[in-house]
Amino acid sequence: MSKVKQWAYDEAEKAVDKITDEYLNGEIDFNTAENKISEVNNVNMLGIDEHNVGDHLYYAKEDSK
C-alpha cells in the first residue's frame, strides 16, 4: 500500500475507533455514532458504508461485553 493510502486508512481507522469508543462509553447514542462514522473521510477504505455502519456498532458493543 502506498504511503498516502496507508495514511488515509490509518486516519479513518483512528476516527472510527474514537467514535466507537464514545458510543461504548455511553457518551453518544447509536444514531449519533452512526451519523458521525458515516461522515468520516475515507471510511469506505475500512469496509464500512451506509449499509453496514450499524453492524459495526452492534458487533463492537457485543465484543465489549
Side-chain angles (χ1 to χ4, degrees), residues 21-62:
D21 288 343
E22 289 174 357
Y23 169 66
L24 294 176
N25 293 330
E27 298 170 23
I28 58 176
D29 65 3
F30 182 84
N31 290 330
T32 303
E34 203 172 34
N35 291 336
K36 288 175 90 172
I37 289 173
S38 295
E39 294 172 0
V40 170
N41 289 331
N42 302 311
V43 73
N44 58 337
M45 292 178 78
L46 305 175
I48 299 174
D49 60 25
E50 66 275 0
H51 303 292
N52 67 1
V53 67
D55 293 342
H56 165 75
L57 292 170
Y58 172 81
Y59 288 114
K61 186 83 159 186
E62 288 297 309

Side-chain angles (χ1 to χ4, degrees), residues 1-18:
M1 198 179 302
S2 73
K3 288 182 180 184
V4 173
K5 190 173 181 181
Q6 184 65 49
W7 172 83
Y9 182 92
D10 291 343
E11 290 299 309
E13 188 173 44
K14 282 186 226 173
V16 170
D17 287 347
K18 182 178 183 237

